[in-house]
Amino acid sequence: MKRIGIISDTHSTFDEPLRKFLAEVDEIWHAGDIGSVELADEIAAFKPLRAVYGNIDGGVARRIYPQFASFRCEGVQVLMTHIGGYPRHYAPGVAQRIQQLRPKLFIAGHSHILKVQYDPVYDLLAVNPGAAGMYGFHKVRTALRLTIDGEDMRDMEILELPRG
């Protein structure tokens, strides 16, 4: 069993409210727009980090982190990217990757809008954790955490913070 924190669009922000919310997780998964390699290192020093690069992340981050990450957590196949879309509105090429990799959990960022949606076409849970950072049009900062136990995903919790 693992507790997972899911964040995106930090844009170089990893402050005390995020740390407090993510303190009890085993891993943090970052769906891009980290902001800097230094921030990624800071998050990785806090908790084990899996990340993909986003459209604002520069060349160094793009050499360290992939555009797509596909991995297994417990019994759940995961696919994560930054610009991914959502069920029936996936970004170009994403549906093809989903068909090939058959994830049960698809994670994307970019929109700055928190969205959790079941996709009956591909039988997966599509998650966008919204934006955890201060930069962007969003009024509320968001992050998620959940438990993955075998093939079971449960106990999802949402953090909502004013953008300050």
Side-chain angles (χ1 to χ4, degrees), residues 29-154:
W29 299 348
H30 197 305
D33 278 4
I34 301 163
S36 70
V37 173
E38 292 78 16
L39 183 76
D41 291 345
E42 183 181 330
I43 296 169
F46 179 69
K47 295 287 178 172
L49 174 67
R50 292 184 186 260
V52 294
Y53 71 77
N55 56 293
I56 68 133
D57 294 316
V60 175
R62 290 172 187 239
R63 287 190 294 278
I64 296 170
Y65 299 103
Q67 180 180 8
F68 287 89
S70 177
F71 55 92
R72 182 170 290 280
C73 179
E74 295 277 311
V76 175
Q77 186 65 33
V78 180
L79 177 62
M80 181 167 63
T81 193
H82 183 61
I83 301 175
Y86 55 94
R88 294 198 169 95
H89 301 281
Y90 290 114
V94 170
Q96 181 180 6
R97 281 186 187 264
I98 289 171
Q99 290 167 0
Q100 291 170 342
L101 299 170
R102 300 267 185 226
K104 289 297 179 183
L105 178 59
F106 173 69
I107 302 167
H110 187 62
S111 72
H112 289 225
I113 300 168
L114 181 131
K115 185 179 279 196
V116 178
Q117 186 175 8
Y118 175 69
D119 183 340
V121 174
Y122 296 115
D123 186 31
L124 60 80
L125 185 64
V127 172
N128 186 320
M134 302 287 192
Y135 177 80
F137 67 88
H138 58 282
K139 303 275 191 255
V140 178
R141 299 169 54 207
T142 55
L144 299 173
R145 62 185 180 199
L146 73 140
T147 299
I148 298 178
D149 187 2
E151 296 180 359
D152 188 34
M153 295 177 279
R154 66 173 186 270

